[in-house]
Amino acid sequence: MADTDNDGKPRTDGSDEDSGESRPAPAPAPADEPGPDAGKDGATEKRDARDDRDERDERDAAESDADADTDGDAVADTGPDSGDAEHPERTTDAPRRAPDPSDAPVELRKADEAPRKAADDTPPPPAPASPQEKTRSGDAAKDTERAKPVGGGILMGRPFGVPVYVAPSWFLVAALITWVFGGQLDRVLPHLGGARYLIALFFAVAFYASVLVHELAHVVAALRFKLPVRRIQLQFFGGVSEIEKESETPGREFVLAFVGPLFSLVLAGVFFVGMRAVEPGTVPGVLLAGLMISNLIVAVFNLLPGLPLDGGRMLRAVVWKISGKPMTGTIAAAWTGRALAIAVLIGLPLATHAGGVNRDGLSGMDSLTDALLAAILAAIIWTGAGNSLRMARLREHLPELRARALTRRAVPVETDTPLSEALRRANEAGARALVVVDAKGEPLSLVREAAIVGVPEHRRPWVAVSTLAQDLKEGMRVPAELAGEDLLDHLRATPATEYLVVEDTGEIYGVLSTGDVERAFVAAMAKPSA
């Protein structure tokens, strides 16, 4: 059972804190002595005692609110003259808000976002989720994404140690290719009947296998340059190699972008040689011709000089080399990509309407399909160019994200320190975080901000900070000098809501909240480019 020492500070011995009967206040004397109501049973006496206490609690709470302006951060006296020996929860009341809101502990600042506590001791309604709670959900989502790509997907293998996923949108495109190519086969090889759609499905799978070779070329080059690759995803209208870092030089950027179209051209040449080796007008001849043309189109299309295409990255590398500024190259390639999107939207339907693609019995698509294809491709290019601009702007401002600048001042507290006392110390020090330490001052855990908000004010004197803390795990210690992309990589490797920031000597510098990093991240995105 919890009790109070002579100095008025609570001490805990592991009793059940959630039971109303475990309060350290002694039962009122009338409940223990015979009187006119002695005939009542024990349960009735306890209910009457609790009702009396509830009424006194309401009066005491009202008096406490009336004296709030003069009490300050003082802790109520627990001596015999206090008149509240039966209510120890008031003897170590939670600290009052600091005069300067910027110096208040994070718990108090978050309390402004939650519904205000009622005048009595009734716990307040649940507070809105704090940014850290949202961040934790975001971290959980990111963990899921690492195991499974956004929107789902099927893991097909791990060539060169890089996972390859097939997104659900691929099946839609495969069905579309099967339908279109099957119609073309009906005109070229009408004797196939319904089997033409099986052949068309094989063509769709072979075409995406060619796309996979294109992406693997990018992956091999990236690994050669020691750039981490998260995954390859085959999706709507192509594939994506998710390379997690930018090339360090424009030369490497050019090579990394060029190898993909180069391998598509090589595949087109291989299929051309195979097509010449078989009899024209047969199923193998038609398939090889289709794969040759499709790979040639992939290579030429990706060489167009606009982001997010490979040709756009090559243009970016050239401008980067000339200007010496990667951001200048990105801007030039991104705006060229947007112009290219408009050209595709208008030019592709006009080009196919004027004659389409006719070779070895393969005819062009009808006008409606052409217009739909052009609109989708234009939207992909336009959106990709915009995303490239935003990511470049972010990388330009990433060095401004410094762990030292974003760290909150922290107060060390021992494991058995009551939450109310810890918050009082934080108020006095102008700190916004709590670090749980052992008797030698070594950090053990971090008190979670969201957990503090969830504890009603009248319960805080009876809750030890250690019950609200998250143990320090490997990766949760962040060097104070960490900044930019290195800082984000460190946080991404060990998802958490708070991190302990330490000096090179191991001394505690403070606590870094992912919520603060997110806000700085958004602010960096909003800044104009230099």
Side-chain angles (χ1 to χ4, degrees):
M1 177 176 293
D3 202 349
T4 56
D5 292 326
N6 294 331
D7 59 358
K9 296 182 181 179
R11 65 172 182 268
T12 58
D13 58 4
S15 64
D16 184 2
E17 296 178 350
D18 295 329
S19 173
E21 285 73 20
S22 65
R23 293 185 177 181
D32 297 328
E33 298 176 0
D37 297 329
K40 295 181 179 181
D41 57 17
T44 303
E45 293 175 355
K46 292 181 180 179
R47 285 197 299 270
D48 290 343
R50 284 197 297 269
D51 291 341
D52 292 340
R53 286 200 302 271
D54 291 341
E55 292 177 2
R56 286 193 295 271
D57 287 345
E58 293 177 1
R59 291 195 300 270
D60 293 339
E63 293 172 0
S64 176
D65 291 341
D67 296 337
D69 294 336
T70 58
D71 286 343
D73 292 333
V75 178
D77 186 13
T78 60
D81 296 332
S82 65
D84 286 307
E86 296 179 352
H87 307 284
E89 64 273 15
R90 295 182 62 246
T91 62
T92 316
D93 201 1
R96 307 294 181 185
R97 179 176 297 277
D100 185 357
S102 63
D103 293 334
V106 65
E107 174 275 333
L108 294 179
R109 299 178 71 178
K110 289 296 177 187
D112 288 339
E113 301 172 7
R116 298 299 300 170
K117 185 178 180 295
D120 57 12
D121 284 340
T122 303
S130 68
Q132 279 64 28
E133 288 174 309
K134 297 176 182 177
T135 302
R136 188 182 307 118
S137 300
D139 291 336
K142 291 175 184 175
D143 292 340
T144 303
E145 289 173 7
R146 293 188 180 95
K148 188 176 182 180
V150 177
I154 301 173
L155 178 63
M156 302 302 295
R158 294 179 179 272
F160 305 103
V162 177
V164 177
Y165 293 95
V166 174
S169 59
W170 178 86
F171 296 96
L172 177 61
V173 178
L176 178 62
I177 293 176
T178 301
W179 173 63
V180 173
F181 194 73
Q184 294 173 340
L185 285 176
D186 188 39
R187 291 190 289 269
V188 178
L189 302 171
H191 64 278
L192 292 176
R196 67 182 185 273
Y197 289 107
L198 291 176
I199 298 173
L201 178 60
F202 175 82
F203 170 79
V205 174
F207 169 66
Y208 266 85
S210 302
V211 173
L212 176 59
V213 172
H214 176 109
E215 298 302 328
L216 285 174
H218 290 306
V219 168
V220 171
L223 296 177
R224 174 67 178 80
F225 295 143
K226 301 187 184 307
L227 299 177
V229 182
R230 182 183 178 190
R231 66 182 178 184
I232 296 175
Q233 189 177 39
L234 300 179
Q235 54 187 9
F236 198 81
F237 278 101
V240 177
S241 300
E242 297 186 11
I243 302 173
E244 296 185 332
K245 288 187 177 181
E246 290 288 326
S247 300
E248 297 179 355
T249 65
R252 291 185 175 184
E253 175 77 0
F254 188 92
V255 171
L256 186 60
F258 180 64
V259 292
L262 176 61
F263 268 74
S264 293
L265 287 172
V266 171
L267 286 176
V270 171
F271 289 129
F272 176 76
V273 172
M275 182 184 67
R276 298 297 296 267
V278 300
E279 183 179 352
T282 62
V283 171
V286 172
L287 283 175
L288 289 171
L291 289 172
M292 184 270 293
I293 294 175
S294 61
N295 276 276
L296 186 62
I297 292 175
V298 168
V300 173
F301 182 74
N302 274 278
L303 286 173
L304 293 176
L307 287 174
L309 302 176
D310 294 329
R313 297 181 63 185
M314 294 165 64
L315 174 62
R316 174 181 182 268
V318 172
V319 177
W320 178 4
K321 179 67 174 179
I322 295 174
S323 65
K325 297 180 179 180
M327 187 63 186
T328 301
T330 301
I331 293 175
W335 280 104
T336 304
R338 288 179 170 177
L340 181 62
I342 297 175
V344 169
L345 180 63
I346 300 174
L348 183 60
L350 292 178
T352 54
H353 182 70
V357 180
N358 291 284
R359 180 184 178 89
D360 294 336
L362 292 181
S363 62
M365 294 178 291
D366 57 51
S367 299
L368 179 61
T369 304
D370 293 340
L372 179 61
L373 176 64
I376 294 175
L377 288 177
I380 292 174
I381 295 173
W382 183 279
T383 303
N387 289 338
S388 298
L389 274 176
R390 283 188 289 271
M391 289 304 298
R393 187 184 305 118
L394 173 62
R395 288 192 174 94
E396 186 181 33
H397 294 291
L398 269 183
E400 300 174 11
L401 298 179
R402 299 186 299 273
R404 185 178 295 277
L406 297 174
T407 298
R408 300 176 176 184
R409 182 184 299 177
V411 170
V413 292
E414 294 188 356
T415 57
D416 58 350
T417 304
L419 177 58
S420 59
E421 171 63 16
L423 294 177
R424 184 188 66 79
R425 297 180 190 176
N427 259 339
E428 290 180 351
R432 298 179 56 205
L434 300 173
V435 179
V436 180
V437 298
D438 59 16
K440 297 181 180 179
E442 293 295 325
L444 300 175
S445 56
L446 302 177
V447 179
R448 295 176 293 112
E449 179 181 351
I452 296 176
V453 177
V455 178
E457 188 171 343
H458 73 283
R459 292 285 301 153
R460 290 170 185 170
W462 316 112
V463 176
V465 291
S466 58
T467 63
L468 307 175
Q470 179 181 10
D471 292 338
L472 285 173
K473 300 178 181 178
E474 184 178 358
M476 289 181 63
R477 295 173 185 260
V478 177
E481 300 303 328
L482 215 56
E485 197 166 351
D486 292 336
L487 173 61
L488 296 182
D489 289 342
H490 188 100
L491 303 186
R492 190 184 301 117
T494 310
T497 56
E498 287 93 10
Y499 298 84
L500 181 68
V501 181
V502 295
E503 298 281 9
D504 294 338
T505 59
E507 181 184 358
I508 298 175
Y509 182 74
V511 172
L512 178 65
S513 168
T514 51
D516 294 340
V517 176
E518 284 185 346
R519 284 185 285 273
F521 201 87
V522 172
M525 287 288 291
K527 288 184 178 180
S529 300

